[in-house]
Amino acid sequence: QVQLVESGGGLVQAGASLRLSCAASGRTFRNYAMGWFRQNPGKERDFVGAISWSSGFTDYADSVKGRFIISRDNAKNTYYLQMNSLKPEDAAVYYCAANPPGEGLRPREYAYWGQGTQVTVSS
């Protein structure tokens, strides 16, 4: 079965950088969409960005475009969210997610989810 495990969250100051990792296992992810989302208490989970596992094509939310970068290491079955110039409003629980091919990088709902990792940004 598919398993996604995030790591790399923590507390940083505004303006700093942080890299999250998502280790994927349980199947091959060829042509899967691998996404990142974030959520604060009482709010909806928001799309941050996603990458196509095979092509490397990426898509980002406007709020993070130019600051966040998603990459993947196929050999390690891991993909990353590099977060630069962090702002207090970036603080959230970050989730990685995976979705089978055929629905693009922004499907109606991702099929598989990690457990989340907390990112806190102090001002």
Side-chain angles (χ1 to χ4, degrees), residues 1-2 5 7 15 17 19-20 24 31 34 44 50 52 54 61 70 77 83-84 86 96 99 103 106 114-115 121 123:
Q1 68 189 42
V2 173
V5 179
S7 61
S17 297
R19 189 178 79 160
L20 305 183
N31 294 323
M34 313 299 284
E44 291 188 355
S52 170
S54 298
I70 299 173
N77 255 25
M83 303 184 291
N84 301 318
L86 280 162
C96 62
N99 199 62
E103 297 182 81
R106 300 200 192 198
Q115 81 288 352
V121 184
S123 56

Side-chain angles (χ1 to χ4, degrees), residues 37-87:
F37 291 76
R38 63 188 183 188
Q39 187 174 27
N40 280 302
K43 295 190 176 181
E44 291 188 355
R45 192 154 45 189
D46 292 330
F47 175 81
V48 174
I51 187 168
S52 170
W53 189 263
S54 298
S55 71
F57 181 80
T58 53
D59 183 20
Y60 298 96
D62 288 343
S63 59
V64 306
K65 202 172 292 183
R67 297 188 299 122
F68 290 11
I69 301 170
I70 299 173
S71 61
R72 88 273 195 226
D73 184 335
N74 290 4
K76 294 183 178 179
N77 255 25
T78 300
Y79 64 111
Y80 307 95
L81 178 65
Q82 177 68 42
M83 303 184 291
N84 301 318
S85 302
L86 280 162
K87 305 175 182 180

